[in-house]
Short mmCIF file of all heavy atoms in Angstrom, two decimals:
data_model
loop_
_atom_site.label_atom_id
_atom_site.label_comp_id
_atom_site.label_asym_id
_atom_site.label_seq_id
_atom_site.Cartn_x
_atom_site.Cartn_y
_atom_site.Cartn_z
N ASN H 151 103.35 112.99 88.40
CA ASN H 151 103.39 112.08 87.27
C ASN H 151 103.47 110.63 87.72
O ASN H 151 103.54 109.75 86.89
CB ASN H 151 104.52 112.44 86.32
CG ASN H 151 105.90 112.35 86.94
OD1 ASN H 151 106.06 111.88 88.07
ND2 ASN H 151 106.90 112.78 86.23
N ILE H 152 103.46 110.38 89.01
CA ILE H 152 103.46 109.01 89.51
C ILE H 152 102.04 108.53 89.74
O ILE H 152 101.66 107.45 89.30
CB ILE H 152 104.28 108.89 90.81
CG1 ILE H 152 105.75 109.17 90.53
CG2 ILE H 152 104.11 107.50 91.42
CD1 ILE H 152 106.62 109.25 91.76
N ILE H 153 101.23 109.34 90.40
CA ILE H 153 99.85 108.98 90.68
C ILE H 153 98.95 109.53 89.57
O ILE H 153 99.00 110.70 89.24
CB ILE H 153 99.38 109.55 92.04
CG1 ILE H 153 100.28 109.05 93.17
CG2 ILE H 153 97.91 109.20 92.29
CD1 ILE H 153 100.30 107.55 93.34
N ARG H 154 98.15 108.63 89.01
CA ARG H 154 97.17 109.01 88.00
C ARG H 154 95.79 108.89 88.63
O ARG H 154 95.37 107.79 89.02
CB ARG H 154 97.32 108.13 86.77
CG ARG H 154 98.67 108.35 86.05
CD ARG H 154 98.89 107.42 84.88
NE ARG H 154 98.53 106.03 85.07
CZ ARG H 154 99.28 105.12 85.70
NH1 ARG H 154 100.45 105.47 86.22
NH2 ARG H 154 98.88 103.88 85.82
N ASN H 155 95.12 110.01 88.75
CA ASN H 155 93.85 110.08 89.46
C ASN H 155 92.84 109.06 88.93
O ASN H 155 92.54 109.02 87.74
CB ASN H 155 93.27 111.49 89.36
CG ASN H 155 92.17 111.72 90.36
OD1 ASN H 155 92.27 111.29 91.51
ND2 ASN H 155 91.13 112.39 89.94
N GLY H 156 92.35 108.23 89.84
CA GLY H 156 91.36 107.22 89.47
C GLY H 156 91.95 105.97 88.87
O GLY H 156 91.24 105.00 88.63
N GLU H 157 93.23 105.97 88.58
CA GLU H 157 93.88 104.81 87.98
C GLU H 157 94.70 104.03 89.02
O GLU H 157 94.49 102.85 89.21
CB GLU H 157 94.80 105.24 86.84
CG GLU H 157 94.07 105.83 85.65
CD GLU H 157 93.17 104.81 84.98
OE1 GLU H 157 93.60 103.65 84.81
OE2 GLU H 157 92.04 105.17 84.64
N ASN H 158 95.65 104.72 89.65
CA ASN H 158 96.47 104.05 90.67
C ASN H 158 96.45 104.83 91.99
O ASN H 158 97.28 104.64 92.84
CB ASN H 158 97.91 103.85 90.18
CG ASN H 158 98.64 105.15 89.93
OD1 ASN H 158 98.04 106.22 89.95
ND2 ASN H 158 99.92 105.04 89.67
N GLY H 159 95.49 105.72 92.11
CA GLY H 159 95.31 106.49 93.33
C GLY H 159 94.29 107.58 93.10
O GLY H 159 93.71 107.69 92.02
N LEU H 160 94.04 108.34 94.14
CA LEU H 160 93.16 109.49 94.02
C LEU H 160 93.94 110.73 94.45
O LEU H 160 94.64 110.70 95.46
CB LEU H 160 91.92 109.32 94.91
CG LEU H 160 90.99 108.17 94.55
CD1 LEU H 160 89.82 108.11 95.54
CD2 LEU H 160 90.45 108.31 93.13
N LEU H 161 93.83 111.78 93.67
CA LEU H 161 94.55 113.01 93.97
C LEU H 161 93.63 114.01 94.65
O LEU H 161 92.45 114.12 94.30
CB LEU H 161 95.08 113.63 92.68
CG LEU H 161 96.12 112.79 91.92
CD1 LEU H 161 96.46 113.44 90.59
CD2 LEU H 161 97.37 112.62 92.76
N VAL H 162 94.17 114.71 95.62
CA VAL H 162 93.46 115.79 96.28
C VAL H 162 94.42 116.98 96.37
O VAL H 162 95.64 116.83 96.29
CB VAL H 162 92.95 115.40 97.69
CG1 VAL H 162 91.93 114.28 97.60
CG2 VAL H 162 94.09 114.99 98.60
N GLU H 163 93.86 118.15 96.55
CA GLU H 163 94.67 119.36 96.68
C GLU H 163 95.46 119.34 97.99
O GLU H 163 95.03 118.72 98.98
CB GLU H 163 93.77 120.60 96.66
CG GLU H 163 93.09 120.85 95.32
CD GLU H 163 94.07 121.15 94.20
OE1 GLU H 163 95.08 121.83 94.45
OE2 GLU H 163 93.81 120.69 93.07
N VAL H 164 96.58 120.00 98.00
CA VAL H 164 97.40 120.12 99.20
C VAL H 164 96.57 120.77 100.30
O VAL H 164 95.82 121.72 100.05
CB VAL H 164 98.66 120.97 98.90
CG1 VAL H 164 99.44 121.25 100.17
CG2 VAL H 164 99.53 120.28 97.87
N ASP H 165 96.69 120.25 101.51
CA ASP H 165 96.00 120.76 102.71
C ASP H 165 94.49 120.66 102.63
O ASP H 165 93.78 121.34 103.37
CB ASP H 165 96.41 122.22 103.00
CG ASP H 165 97.88 122.36 103.34
OD1 ASP H 165 98.44 121.41 103.96
OD2 ASP H 165 98.47 123.39 102.99
N ASP H 166 93.97 119.82 101.74
CA ASP H 166 92.52 119.63 101.63
C ASP H 166 92.12 118.42 102.45
O ASP H 166 91.97 117.32 101.92
CB ASP H 166 92.13 119.47 100.16
CG ASP H 166 90.63 119.31 99.96
OD1 ASP H 166 89.87 119.35 100.95
OD2 ASP H 166 90.22 119.15 98.79
N ASP H 167 91.95 118.63 103.75
CA ASP H 167 91.63 117.51 104.62
C ASP H 167 90.26 116.92 104.32
O ASP H 167 90.06 115.70 104.41
CB ASP H 167 91.75 117.90 106.09
CG ASP H 167 90.95 119.14 106.45
OD1 ASP H 167 90.57 119.90 105.56
OD2 ASP H 167 90.71 119.33 107.66
N ILE H 168 89.32 117.73 103.92
CA ILE H 168 87.98 117.23 103.57
C ILE H 168 88.06 116.39 102.30
O ILE H 168 87.49 115.30 102.21
CB ILE H 168 86.97 118.38 103.44
CG1 ILE H 168 86.76 119.02 104.82
CG2 ILE H 168 85.66 117.88 102.87
CD1 ILE H 168 85.95 120.30 104.80
N GLY H 169 88.79 116.89 101.30
CA GLY H 169 88.97 116.13 100.06
C GLY H 169 89.68 114.81 100.30
O GLY H 169 89.31 113.79 99.71
N ALA H 170 90.68 114.83 101.17
CA ALA H 170 91.41 113.59 101.49
C ALA H 170 90.48 112.61 102.19
O ALA H 170 90.49 111.41 101.90
CB ALA H 170 92.62 113.90 102.36
N SER H 171 89.66 113.11 103.11
CA SER H 171 88.70 112.24 103.80
C SER H 171 87.72 111.63 102.82
O SER H 171 87.41 110.43 102.89
CB SER H 171 87.93 113.03 104.87
OG SER H 171 88.79 113.50 105.86
N LYS H 172 87.24 112.45 101.88
CA LYS H 172 86.30 111.94 100.87
C LYS H 172 86.96 110.88 100.00
O LYS H 172 86.34 109.88 99.64
CB LYS H 172 85.77 113.08 100.02
CG LYS H 172 84.79 113.97 100.75
CD LYS H 172 84.29 115.09 99.85
CE LYS H 172 83.30 115.98 100.58
NZ LYS H 172 82.82 117.07 99.73
N ALA H 173 88.23 111.10 99.64
CA ALA H 173 88.95 110.13 98.81
C ALA H 173 89.11 108.80 99.54
O ALA H 173 88.90 107.74 98.96
CB ALA H 173 90.31 110.69 98.40
N VAL H 174 89.46 108.86 100.81
CA VAL H 174 89.60 107.64 101.61
C VAL H 174 88.27 106.90 101.69
O VAL H 174 88.20 105.68 101.50
CB VAL H 174 90.14 107.95 103.03
CG1 VAL H 174 90.04 106.74 103.94
CG2 VAL H 174 91.58 108.45 102.95
N LEU H 175 87.20 107.63 101.96
CA LEU H 175 85.87 107.01 102.04
C LEU H 175 85.44 106.43 100.70
O LEU H 175 84.80 105.38 100.65
CB LEU H 175 84.85 108.02 102.54
CG LEU H 175 85.00 108.42 104.00
CD1 LEU H 175 84.04 109.56 104.36
CD2 LEU H 175 84.77 107.22 104.92
N GLN H 176 85.81 107.11 99.60
CA GLN H 176 85.47 106.60 98.28
C GLN H 176 86.18 105.27 98.02
O GLN H 176 85.56 104.31 97.54
CB GLN H 176 85.85 107.62 97.20
CG GLN H 176 85.47 107.19 95.80
CD GLN H 176 85.85 108.22 94.76
OE1 GLN H 176 86.44 109.26 95.07
NE2 GLN H 176 85.53 107.93 93.52
N ILE H 177 87.45 105.20 98.36
CA ILE H 177 88.20 103.96 98.18
C ILE H 177 87.63 102.87 99.09
O ILE H 177 87.49 101.72 98.69
CB ILE H 177 89.70 104.18 98.46
CG1 ILE H 177 90.31 105.07 97.38
CG2 ILE H 177 90.46 102.85 98.54
CD1 ILE H 177 91.71 105.57 97.69
N TYR H 178 87.28 103.23 100.29
CA TYR H 178 86.73 102.27 101.25
C TYR H 178 85.38 101.71 100.78
O TYR H 178 85.14 100.51 100.87
CB TYR H 178 86.57 102.94 102.62
CG TYR H 178 85.96 102.05 103.66
CD1 TYR H 178 86.73 101.07 104.29
CD2 TYR H 178 84.63 102.19 104.03
CE1 TYR H 178 86.16 100.24 105.25
CE2 TYR H 178 84.07 101.37 104.99
CZ TYR H 178 84.84 100.41 105.59
OH TYR H 178 84.28 99.58 106.54
N SER H 179 84.54 102.57 100.24
CA SER H 179 83.18 102.16 99.89
C SER H 179 83.03 101.59 98.48
O SER H 179 82.06 100.90 98.20
CB SER H 179 82.21 103.32 100.07
OG SER H 179 82.53 104.37 99.18
N ASP H 180 83.97 101.85 97.60
CA ASP H 180 83.87 101.40 96.21
C ASP H 180 84.88 100.27 95.97
O ASP H 180 86.04 100.52 95.65
CB ASP H 180 84.15 102.59 95.28
CG ASP H 180 83.92 102.29 93.82
OD1 ASP H 180 83.92 101.09 93.43
OD2 ASP H 180 83.76 103.25 93.04
N SER H 181 84.41 99.05 96.10
CA SER H 181 85.33 97.90 96.00
C SER H 181 85.95 97.77 94.61
O SER H 181 87.10 97.36 94.48
CB SER H 181 84.62 96.61 96.41
OG SER H 181 83.52 96.36 95.57
N ALA H 182 85.22 98.13 93.56
CA ALA H 182 85.78 98.04 92.20
C ALA H 182 86.93 99.04 92.05
O ALA H 182 87.99 98.71 91.51
CB ALA H 182 84.70 98.30 91.16
N LEU H 183 86.74 100.26 92.53
CA LEU H 183 87.79 101.27 92.47
C LEU H 183 88.99 100.83 93.29
O LEU H 183 90.13 100.95 92.86
CB LEU H 183 87.27 102.62 92.98
CG LEU H 183 88.29 103.74 93.08
CD1 LEU H 183 88.85 104.10 91.70
CD2 LEU H 183 87.68 104.96 93.75
N ARG H 184 88.72 100.30 94.48
CA ARG H 184 89.80 99.83 95.35
C ARG H 184 90.62 98.74 94.68
O ARG H 184 91.85 98.80 94.66
CB ARG H 184 89.21 99.34 96.67
CG ARG H 184 90.23 98.94 97.70
CD ARG H 184 89.61 98.64 99.07
NE ARG H 184 88.57 97.62 99.02
CZ ARG H 184 87.27 97.86 99.20
NH1 ARG H 184 86.83 99.10 99.43
NH2 ARG H 184 86.39 96.88 99.16
N ARG H 185 89.96 97.77 94.08
CA ARG H 185 90.67 96.69 93.39
C ARG H 185 91.50 97.24 92.22
O ARG H 185 92.64 96.83 91.99
CB ARG H 185 89.69 95.63 92.90
CG ARG H 185 89.18 94.71 93.99
CD ARG H 185 88.43 93.51 93.43
NE ARG H 185 87.28 93.90 92.62
CZ ARG H 185 86.04 94.10 93.10
NH1 ARG H 185 85.81 93.96 94.38
NH2 ARG H 185 85.06 94.44 92.30
N LYS H 186 90.92 98.18 91.48
CA LYS H 186 91.61 98.78 90.33
C LYS H 186 92.87 99.53 90.79
O LYS H 186 93.95 99.36 90.21
CB LYS H 186 90.66 99.74 89.61
CG LYS H 186 91.26 100.48 88.46
CD LYS H 186 90.18 101.37 87.85
CE LYS H 186 90.74 102.42 86.95
NZ LYS H 186 89.68 103.28 86.40
N ILE H 187 92.73 100.33 91.83
CA ILE H 187 93.86 101.11 92.34
C ILE H 187 94.96 100.19 92.84
O ILE H 187 96.15 100.41 92.56
CB ILE H 187 93.39 102.09 93.43
CG1 ILE H 187 92.61 103.24 92.79
CG2 ILE H 187 94.57 102.61 94.25
CD1 ILE H 187 91.96 104.18 93.78
N VAL H 188 94.59 99.16 93.57
CA VAL H 188 95.59 98.22 94.09
C VAL H 188 96.28 97.49 92.94
O VAL H 188 97.51 97.39 92.90
CB VAL H 188 94.94 97.22 95.08
CG1 VAL H 188 95.90 96.08 95.42
CG2 VAL H 188 94.50 97.94 96.35
N ALA H 189 95.52 96.99 91.99
CA ALA H 189 96.10 96.26 90.86
C ALA H 189 97.04 97.14 90.05
O ALA H 189 98.17 96.74 89.71
CB ALA H 189 94.99 95.71 89.96
N ARG H 190 96.61 98.36 89.75
CA ARG H 190 97.46 99.27 88.98
C ARG H 190 98.70 99.68 89.78
O ARG H 190 99.77 99.86 89.23
CB ARG H 190 96.68 100.52 88.57
CG ARG H 190 95.55 100.23 87.62
CD ARG H 190 96.02 100.26 86.16
NE ARG H 190 95.05 99.71 85.25
CZ ARG H 190 93.96 100.33 84.80
NH1 ARG H 190 93.70 101.55 85.19
NH2 ARG H 190 93.15 99.73 83.95
N GLY H 191 98.53 99.81 91.08
CA GLY H 191 99.68 100.14 91.93
C GLY H 191 100.73 99.06 91.87
O GLY H 191 101.93 99.35 91.73
N TYR H 192 100.31 97.80 91.97
CA TYR H 192 101.26 96.69 91.86
C TYR H 192 101.94 96.68 90.50
O TYR H 192 103.14 96.46 90.40
CB TYR H 192 100.56 95.35 92.09
CG TYR H 192 100.39 94.98 93.54
CD1 TYR H 192 99.12 94.80 94.08
CD2 TYR H 192 101.49 94.78 94.37
CE1 TYR H 192 98.96 94.46 95.41
CE2 TYR H 192 101.34 94.45 95.70
CZ TYR H 192 100.07 94.29 96.21
OH TYR H 192 99.91 93.95 97.52
N GLU H 193 101.16 96.90 89.44
CA GLU H 193 101.73 96.94 88.09
C GLU H 193 102.79 98.04 87.99
O GLU H 193 103.87 97.82 87.43
CB GLU H 193 100.64 97.20 87.06
CG GLU H 193 99.71 96.05 86.81
CD GLU H 193 98.57 96.43 85.88
OE1 GLU H 193 98.67 97.46 85.17
OE2 GLU H 193 97.56 95.71 85.87
N ASP H 194 102.46 99.22 88.49
CA ASP H 194 103.39 100.34 88.41
C ASP H 194 104.67 100.06 89.18
O ASP H 194 105.76 100.35 88.69
CB ASP H 194 102.74 101.62 88.95
CG ASP H 194 101.66 102.16 88.04
OD1 ASP H 194 101.55 101.68 86.89
OD2 ASP H 194 100.92 103.05 88.48
N VAL H 195 104.55 99.51 90.37
CA VAL H 195 105.73 99.20 91.17
C VAL H 195 106.59 98.17 90.45
O VAL H 195 107.82 98.32 90.36
CB VAL H 195 105.34 98.70 92.58
CG1 VAL H 195 106.53 98.08 93.29
CG2 VAL H 195 104.78 99.84 93.40
N TYR H 196 105.96 97.15 89.90
CA TYR H 196 106.72 96.13 89.19
C TYR H 196 107.46 96.72 87.99
O TYR H 196 108.63 96.44 87.76
CB TYR H 196 105.80 95.00 88.74
CG TYR H 196 106.54 93.91 88.01
CD1 TYR H 196 107.31 92.98 88.70
CD2 TYR H 196 106.50 93.83 86.62
CE1 TYR H 196 108.01 92.00 88.03
CE2 TYR H 196 107.21 92.85 85.94
CZ TYR H 196 107.96 91.94 86.66
OH TYR H 196 108.66 90.97 85.99
N LYS H 197 106.77 97.57 87.22
CA LYS H 197 107.38 98.17 86.03
C LYS H 197 108.48 99.16 86.39
O LYS H 197 109.53 99.18 85.75
CB LYS H 197 106.32 98.87 85.19
CG LYS H 197 105.39 97.94 84.48
CD LYS H 197 104.32 98.71 83.73
CE LYS H 197 103.30 97.78 83.12
NZ LYS H 197 102.18 98.53 82.53
N ARG H 198 108.24 99.99 87.37
CA ARG H 198 109.18 101.06 87.71
C ARG H 198 110.36 100.58 88.54
O ARG H 198 111.44 101.14 88.45
CB ARG H 198 108.48 102.17 88.50
CG ARG H 198 107.57 103.01 87.68
CD ARG H 198 106.88 104.02 88.60
NE ARG H 198 106.21 105.01 87.81
CZ ARG H 198 106.68 106.24 87.64
NH1 ARG H 198 107.78 106.62 88.22
NH2 ARG H 198 106.03 107.09 86.90
N PHE H 199 110.14 99.57 89.37
CA PHE H 199 111.15 99.21 90.34
C PHE H 199 111.62 97.76 90.21
O PHE H 199 112.06 97.16 91.18
CB PHE H 199 110.64 99.47 91.76
CG PHE H 199 110.24 100.90 91.95
CD1 PHE H 199 108.91 101.26 92.04
CD2 PHE H 199 111.19 101.90 92.02
CE1 PHE H 199 108.54 102.58 92.21
CE2 PHE H 199 110.84 103.23 92.18
CZ PHE H 199 109.50 103.55 92.28
N ASP H 200 111.51 97.21 89.01
CA ASP H 200 112.01 95.88 88.76
C ASP H 200 113.51 95.85 89.09
O ASP H 200 114.29 96.65 88.56
CB ASP H 200 111.77 95.51 87.29
CG ASP H 200 112.36 94.17 86.94
OD1 ASP H 200 111.93 93.17 87.52
OD2 ASP H 200 113.26 94.15 86.07
N ALA H 201 113.92 94.96 89.95
CA ALA H 201 115.30 94.93 90.46
C ALA H 201 116.32 94.78 89.33
O ALA H 201 117.37 95.44 89.35
CB ALA H 201 115.46 93.82 91.48
N ARG H 202 116.06 93.93 88.37
CA ARG H 202 117.01 93.74 87.27
C ARG H 202 117.17 95.01 86.45
O ARG H 202 118.27 95.41 86.09
CB ARG H 202 116.58 92.59 86.38
CG ARG H 202 116.81 91.25 87.03
CD ARG H 202 116.62 90.12 86.03
NE ARG H 202 116.90 88.86 86.68
CZ ARG H 202 116.04 87.88 86.81
NH1 ARG H 202 114.83 88.00 86.30
NH2 ARG H 202 116.38 86.76 87.42
N ARG H 203 116.05 95.64 86.12
CA ARG H 203 116.10 96.86 85.32
C ARG H 203 116.83 97.96 86.07
O ARG H 203 117.71 98.63 85.52
CB ARG H 203 114.70 97.33 84.96
CG ARG H 203 114.72 98.55 84.04
CD ARG H 203 113.33 99.14 83.84
NE ARG H 203 112.67 99.50 85.07
CZ ARG H 203 112.96 100.61 85.79
NH1 ARG H 203 113.90 101.43 85.40
NH2 ARG H 203 112.29 100.88 86.89
N VAL H 204 116.50 98.14 87.34
CA VAL H 204 117.15 99.18 88.14
C VAL H 204 118.64 98.90 88.26
O VAL H 204 119.47 99.80 88.15
CB VAL H 204 116.48 99.29 89.53
CG1 VAL H 204 117.29 100.20 90.45
CG2 VAL H 204 115.05 99.79 89.40
N SER H 205 118.99 97.64 88.43
CA SER H 205 120.40 97.27 88.54
C SER H 205 121.15 97.61 87.25
O SER H 205 122.25 98.17 87.29
CB SER H 205 120.52 95.77 88.83
OG SER H 205 121.86 95.38 88.83
N LYS H 206 120.56 97.30 86.10
CA LYS H 206 121.20 97.62 84.82
C LYS H 206 121.34 99.12 84.62
O LYS H 206 122.35 99.59 84.12
CB LYS H 206 120.40 97.00 83.66
CG LYS H 206 120.55 95.50 83.59
CD LYS H 206 119.73 94.92 82.46
CE LYS H 206 119.85 93.41 82.46
NZ LYS H 206 119.08 92.80 81.38
N GLU H 207 120.32 99.88 85.03
CA GLU H 207 120.40 101.33 84.90
C GLU H 207 121.51 101.89 85.78
O GLU H 207 122.23 102.79 85.37
CB GLU H 207 119.05 101.96 85.26
CG GLU H 207 117.99 101.74 84.20
CD GLU H 207 116.65 102.34 84.57
OE1 GLU H 207 116.54 103.00 85.62
OE2 GLU H 207 115.70 102.14 83.80
N HIS H 208 121.63 101.37 87.00
CA HIS H 208 122.71 101.82 87.89
C HIS H 208 124.08 101.44 87.32
O HIS H 208 125.03 102.22 87.41
CB HIS H 208 122.53 101.24 89.30
CG HIS H 208 121.52 101.98 90.11
ND1 HIS H 208 120.19 101.65 90.08
CD2 HIS H 208 121.65 103.04 90.94
CE1 HIS H 208 119.54 102.47 90.88
NE2 HIS H 208 120.40 103.33 91.42
N GLU H 209 124.16 100.27 86.75
CA GLU H 209 125.43 99.83 86.14
C GLU H 209 125.85 100.81 85.05
O GLU H 209 127.01 101.23 84.99
CB GLU H 209 125.27 98.43 85.58
CG GLU H 209 126.53 97.86 84.98
CD GLU H 209 126.34 96.46 84.42
OE1 GLU H 209 125.32 95.81 84.76
OE2 GLU H 209 127.19 96.03 83.65
N LYS H 210 124.91 101.20 84.19
CA LYS H 210 125.20 102.16 83.13
C LYS H 210 125.63 103.50 83.71
O LYS H 210 126.58 104.12 83.22
CB LYS H 210 123.97 102.35 82.23
CG LYS H 210 123.65 101.17 81.37
CD LYS H 210 122.38 101.41 80.58
CE LYS H 210 121.95 100.18 79.83
NZ LYS H 210 120.67 100.39 79.12
N LEU H 211 124.95 103.93 84.74
CA LEU H 211 125.29 105.20 85.38
C LEU H 211 126.71 105.17 85.96
O LEU H 211 127.48 106.10 85.78
CB LEU H 211 124.27 105.52 86.49
CG LEU H 211 124.50 106.80 87.28
CD1 LEU H 211 124.41 108.02 86.37
CD2 LEU H 211 123.50 106.89 88.42
N PHE H 212 127.04 104.08 86.64
CA PHE H 212 128.38 103.95 87.22
C PHE H 212 129.45 103.91 86.14
O PHE H 212 130.55 104.44 86.33
CB PHE H 212 128.48 102.73 88.12
CG PHE H 212 127.64 102.82 89.36
CD1 PHE H 212 126.96 101.72 89.83
CD2 PHE H 212 127.52 104.02 90.06
CE1 PHE H 212 126.18 101.80 90.98
CE2 PHE H 212 126.74 104.11 91.21
CZ PHE H 212 126.06 103.00 91.66
N GLU H 213 129.15 103.29 85.01
CA GLU H 213 130.10 103.28 83.90
C GLU H 213 130.36 104.68 83.38
O GLU H 213 131.51 105.04 83.09
CB GLU H 213 129.59 102.37 82.78
CG GLU H 213 129.65 100.89 83.10
CD GLU H 213 129.00 100.03 82.02
OE1 GLU H 213 128.49 100.59 81.00
OE2 GLU H 213 128.97 98.81 82.21
N ILE H 214 129.32 105.46 83.27
CA ILE H 214 129.46 106.84 82.80
C ILE H 214 130.26 107.66 83.80
O ILE H 214 131.18 108.41 83.41
CB ILE H 214 128.07 107.48 82.59
CG1 ILE H 214 127.36 106.82 81.39
CG2 ILE H 214 128.18 108.99 82.38
CD1 ILE H 214 125.90 107.18 81.25
N ILE H 215 129.99 107.51 85.06
CA ILE H 215 130.67 108.27 86.12
C ILE H 215 132.16 107.91 86.17
O ILE H 215 133.00 108.77 86.38
CB ILE H 215 130.01 108.02 87.48
CG1 ILE H 215 128.62 108.66 87.51
CG2 ILE H 215 130.86 108.57 88.61
CD1 ILE H 215 127.80 108.32 88.73
N ASN H 216 132.48 106.65 85.98
CA ASN H 216 133.86 106.18 86.12
C ASN H 216 134.70 106.37 84.86
O ASN H 216 135.86 105.98 84.84
CB ASN H 216 133.88 104.72 86.55
CG ASN H 216 133.41 104.55 87.99
OD1 ASN H 216 133.73 105.38 88.84
ND2 ASN H 216 132.66 103.51 88.25
N LYS H 217 134.17 106.95 83.83
CA LYS H 217 134.95 107.18 82.59
C LYS H 217 135.81 108.39 82.71
O LYS H 217 135.65 109.30 83.39
CB LYS H 217 134.03 107.29 81.38
CG LYS H 217 133.49 105.96 80.97
CD LYS H 217 132.70 106.09 79.69
CE LYS H 217 132.19 104.71 79.30
NZ LYS H 217 131.49 104.73 78.04
#
């Protein structure tokens, strides 16, 4: 649920070395796809791991634990 195929990465089956190689080559050769994946990756990291938001969530968790 973190990687969305074609949006912020490419998914391949476990132990599929040929599929992984094809995915790498696709990203390498398709500059539009590469830019899209990189841009969406940055957006996802910013949204999911924003320091202030994570800090507030941890604060709430610690309050619950310490009650």
Side-chain angles (χ1 to χ4, degrees):
N151 62 8
I152 294 173
I153 302 300
R154 294 176 317 279
N155 195 41
E157 294 295 318
N158 64 350
L160 296 179
L161 297 174
V162 297
E163 293 295 323
V164 173
D165 296 327
D166 182 1
D167 53 342
I168 293 171
S171 297
K172 288 180 180 180
V174 169
L175 290 173
Q176 183 180 2
I177 292 169
Y178 178 78
S179 64
D180 187 340
S181 60
L183 176 63
R184 185 172 56 251
R185 284 191 300 271
K186 177 179 164 181
I187 287 173
V188 169
R190 295 272 168 78
Y192 277 119
E193 288 174 18
D194 289 348
V195 167
Y196 180 77
K197 288 176 185 174
R198 287 177 168 256
F199 303 107
D200 176 62
R202 286 191 178 121
R203 184 188 57 76
V204 171
S205 176
K206 287 179 183 180
E207 287 178 4
H208 280 89
E209 182 180 344
K210 290 177 187 177
L211 179 63
F212 293 141
E213 288 174 0
I214 291 169
I215 291 172
N216 290 321
K217 285 186 179 184

